[in-house]
Each structure stands twice: as structure tokens, then as C-alpha cells.
Amino acid sequence: MDNTVIAAWLGGLLIGWFIVLHFIVIGRSAGCSTGYACIIDKMHKKTNLFGKLDNFKFFFILGLPLGGLAHVFLFQGTWQVSFDMGMYEGILPAGTVIRALILLIGGVLLGFGARMAGGCTTGHALVGGALLNWSSILAAILFFAFATVTSWLLFSGFSIN
Amino acid sequence: MNNNIVKLLSIALGILFGFLLVSVGATNFDYQAKMFLFQDFQLPIVLAVAMITGMTGVWMLRRMKANNLIDQTDIEYVKVPFNRRIIIGSLLFGIGWALTASCPGTAITMLGEGKLIGLPIVAGILSGTWLFGLYNSRS
């Protein structure tokens, strides 16, 4: 699919080490969805919407796109704008507006669900798993189970090549 | 330690994590779709190996009673208590994950790669986070 992608076992090792490195350097768990809450919190100064937030998470998610950019420059040659959705091209309606709307709704579910569940794939599956935190592991299993059911529904009747 | 140094370190860790997410293929729609359709095991293997590696590493840190680098104090290993909201939140998150083939970390990383199809996803995550904040502060 993508020849710049590294072997799964190696990627797993590196990401596992990253989770540990984050604990060593910052002293707290890594996480992505909290960074979004930090952005909303900064825009919504009057009321406290989320309780206590780790504000450094804002800087963490600021780094994420820069990491994506670095990967393109180091391994993929030229940076180019793309709207391609791979296999999703076959199941989503063709119009740009309706497509963006579906992704927006999916994003709303991700944002709302992550805050309600108390974390996303990084915080619950990767970090919660590393801490053997049972409620996080339950959340990770449920994320996966509900995403699997939804994907099967989305792709049912869609043949892959 | 100086907050600005912690900010810079946070950005640096973010860059590293974004780079790793792209390296393993997590920002690729097809890897995500094929994971849930059980057609390709790249990402499930990444997740499983990462969890086991992280578990081993955290176990060692705890055994060594390691301190963090920035202010030499104890590392906080937060135990998330069980809460019924986790079930409903996971249901919504799972549906969102399958609809967008992304999660909050990968969606914003895609923007840096030039995959601007991530823009409505990121806008959605911000809106959903905001909606939850409003719901949360009123209930």
C-alpha cells in the first residue's frame, strides 16, 4: 500500500518506547485528544468546560503535523496536497460537500466520544494498556469493537478489487 | 523547570509521535479500513507490540522508581477510574473512528502530510470536544 511504511513489529517497538519516553521526559502520560480540549478551553475563557487540563498537551498536538511534514520531506520526496481517501472513495458519496459533512460528523463523534470516555486511542489503548489500567483497556476494546461493527456495515456489499 | 522548556519538549515529543504515526501507516485510510475488515494486520500488530513494549517499559520505570527529567519529581501514573460514561463515549468514538478512518492523533498529523481531507475531521473533533464541554459543564 505504501512503501515508506515500516515493519509492524518495529513500529510497535518504537511507539511502545515512545510511550515510555514521554513518561520519563514529561512525567505524565502521553495523549492526543486532551490537546483539542486545551484549544477549546483557550477559546472559552469564561466557563470551565473540562475541569483540570494538562495544558502542555496543546503543544504536543501542535508537534504532530510537524512530524507528518518531516516524514514527507525525509522519506516521501515532495510535499503535495491530497484529498484521496483510498478505499473510502468507493463507499462515500461522490460530492465534495457531502463527503466533508460525513467526515465532519465522524470527527464530532471522535471528539465528543474521546472526552466522554476520557481519552482516545493514544491515552486509552497505548498508555492505558501500558499501565494495565483496566478501565482504559475496556475502553480500547470497545473502541475497536464498535469501529469494527461500523466498518463492516459501511463496507458490506463493497468488494475489494 | 522553566515552562517554555516543557512547551518545547512537548512540541518535540509531538513531532516524534506524528513521525511515528506516519511511519507505521496509521495515517493511511486503507491500513485503517483493512484493520477493521480483518484484511491486513499491520496496525493491530503495531498496537499489540506497542502495548506490550510500553507495559514492560513502565514496569521497569516503576521498579527503578524513576523520576521525570523536567523537574526530577515522581512520574504520575494516573489510574482512570471506571465510569459508565466510558461505555457510551467508546461507542461514539468507535463509530467516529470507522467513519473517518482516523483518530484524534492521526487526523491532525495528516494535515502536515498534505492530506487535507483531514481538515473536516479535525474541525469535527474540535466541534465534538466543544459540544462535550458544554454538555459536561451543564450536567
Side-chain angles (χ1 to χ4, degrees), chain B residues 11 16 28 36 56 58 64 67 73 76 83 101 113 115-116:
Chain B
I11 294 178
L16 177 60
N28 181 304
F36 294 127
T56 321
V58 167
M64 289 155 43
N67 288 344
T73 54
E76 297 171 32
N83 179 328
E113 284 184 280
K115 294 178 182 166
L116 298 192

Side-chain angles (χ1 to χ4, degrees), chain A residues 1 5-6 12 24 27 36 44 49-50 60 63 65 67 75 79 82 86-88 107-108 115 133 135 146-147 151-152 160, chain B residues 14-15 19 22-23 30-31 36 39 42 50 68-70 76 80 89 91 94 98 103-104 112 114 116 124-125 129-130 132 136:
Chain A
M1 277 183 274
V5 167
I6 61 175
I24 297 174
Y36 291 88
H44 222 283
L49 297 183
F50 304 102
F60 181 75
F75 293 110
W79 191 87
S82 149
M87 285 162 63
Y88 278 72
V108 170
R115 280 284 51 75
N133 186 339
S135 37
F146 291 127
S151 289
W152 281 88
I160 291 97
Chain B
I15 294 175
F19 190 90
V22 179
S23 301
D30 286 1
Y31 277 116
F36 294 127
Q39 291 174 355
Q42 168 81 10
N68 70 59
L69 285 181
I70 51 172
E76 297 171 32
V80 184
L91 168 69
C103 54
L116 298 192
I125 298 171
T129 305
W130 179 62
F132 178 79
N136 186 43

